[in-house]
Amino acid sequence: EYDVLEKRLREQAFLNAGLKITLRDERDDEPVEEVMHYEGGIRQFVSDLNSGQQGIHPIIMAEGVVDNVAIDFALQYNAGYKETILTFANNIHTKEGGTHLVGFRTALTRAINGYVKNQPDLTKKLKGTALSGDDVREGLTAVISVKLPQPQFEGQTKTKLGNSEVAGMVAGMVYDRLTVYFEENPKDIRLIIDKAVDAARARDAAR
């Protein structure tokens, strides 16, 4: 099925920046050809996922290697409310998430709450309560890709990463990079926090 192949190959092109894949269908009289090539890697992946949505800040992206594990992530908040996080381990789409997703979510919540703590006006706005994971993920689009020597896959369909050490590695790297980014881009983090605060208030009101 052309659509299945196209989706899978496009993922590969996004996950491996610079890789060029040509998909050609010669089953009909008029062949269909598509070339997939993204120098921007997962930054372009997030941009593609967010197309049609209004991003509220530039895409945040970072990559690094921790103890032989390559970690790559990109994220952008949009004006909507849906959370879209795609995770990959060794280019395999881990649909059920796993330890890399746990690490990412932990770091994101911690980094945002850490920033809030150092801003008296924000602490006052939240009446001293911390933002929850649900609050900080509203309208978030992100891609996390890890490459590791011995992945352990779990779950019924083997699409969940089980390496316990990866959670801490991802959490540490993502937290460090986000903390630096937030310090250097106060305007962006303010927009993200305002969105999370609105989400927290709405949740509170609903309760």
Side-chain angles (χ1 to χ4, degrees):
E1 285 183 44
Y2 186 89
D3 291 351
V4 175
L5 283 168
E6 190 250 356
K7 183 170 181 269
R8 178 78 183 121
L9 294 174
R10 194 176 296 283
E11 277 178 1
Q12 293 305 305
F14 277 130
L15 292 166
N16 301 279
L19 178 68
K20 186 175 176 182
I21 300 174
T22 305
L23 174 59
R24 190 172 162 87
D25 187 350
E26 298 178 346
R27 290 176 294 187
D28 293 325
D29 294 337
E30 286 184 32
V32 177
E33 185 175 293
E34 213 161 339
V35 178
M36 298 159 219
H37 178 231
Y38 306 105
E39 287 295 346
I42 64 166
R43 180 194 293 270
Q44 274 178 273
F45 201 169
V46 168
S47 173
D48 185 66
L49 290 167
N50 255 349
S51 62
Q53 293 280 2
Q54 188 193 339
I56 63 169
H57 61 87
I59 293 172
I60 303 168
M61 182 186 169
E63 56 188 358
V65 178
V66 183
D67 290 345
N68 250 354
V69 175
I71 303 162
D72 211 355
F73 78 90
L75 67 91
Q76 185 184 40
Y77 283 83
N78 59 53
Y81 302 100
K82 196 172 150 228
E83 173 193 343
T84 305
I85 302 181
L86 298 187
T87 62
F88 297 85
N90 291 6
N91 289 338
I92 294 162
H93 184 187
T94 39
K95 290 191 182 99
E96 295 176 73
T99 50
H100 49 343
L101 177 60
V102 171
F104 175 80
R105 283 177 160 173
T106 303
L108 180 70
T109 309
R110 198 175 137 227
I112 290 175
N113 276 315
Y115 188 87
V116 170
K117 216 178 274 180
N118 295 323
Q119 309 293 325
D121 63 316
L122 290 173
T123 316
K124 200 171 155 192
K125 210 173 179 183
L126 277 163
K127 299 183 182 129
T129 60
L131 292 160
S132 76
D134 286 338
D135 299 330
V136 303
R137 291 196 304 272
E138 202 166 275
L140 169 71
T141 298
V143 174
I144 302 105
S145 170
V146 296
K147 289 178 179 143
L148 62 162
Q150 291 176 308
Q152 293 156 5
F153 293 105
E154 297 174 355
Q156 275 189 305
T157 52
K158 293 274 183 265
T159 51
K160 184 177 186 179
L161 187 67
N163 300 63
S164 55
E165 71 282 5
V166 171
M169 291 175 188
V170 172
M173 184 268 202
V174 173
Y175 176 78
D176 290 347
R177 300 303 177 88
L178 286 180
T179 304
V180 171
Y181 183 89
F182 293 164
E183 289 299 330
E184 292 173 356
N185 300 274
K187 209 170 93 201
D188 293 353
I189 181 59
R190 281 286 172 151
L191 291 168
I192 292 169
I193 288 170
D194 283 345
K195 189 168 176 59
V197 168
D198 287 344
R201 282 181 174 160
R203 235 176 281 280
D204 209 36
R207 196 162 49 238

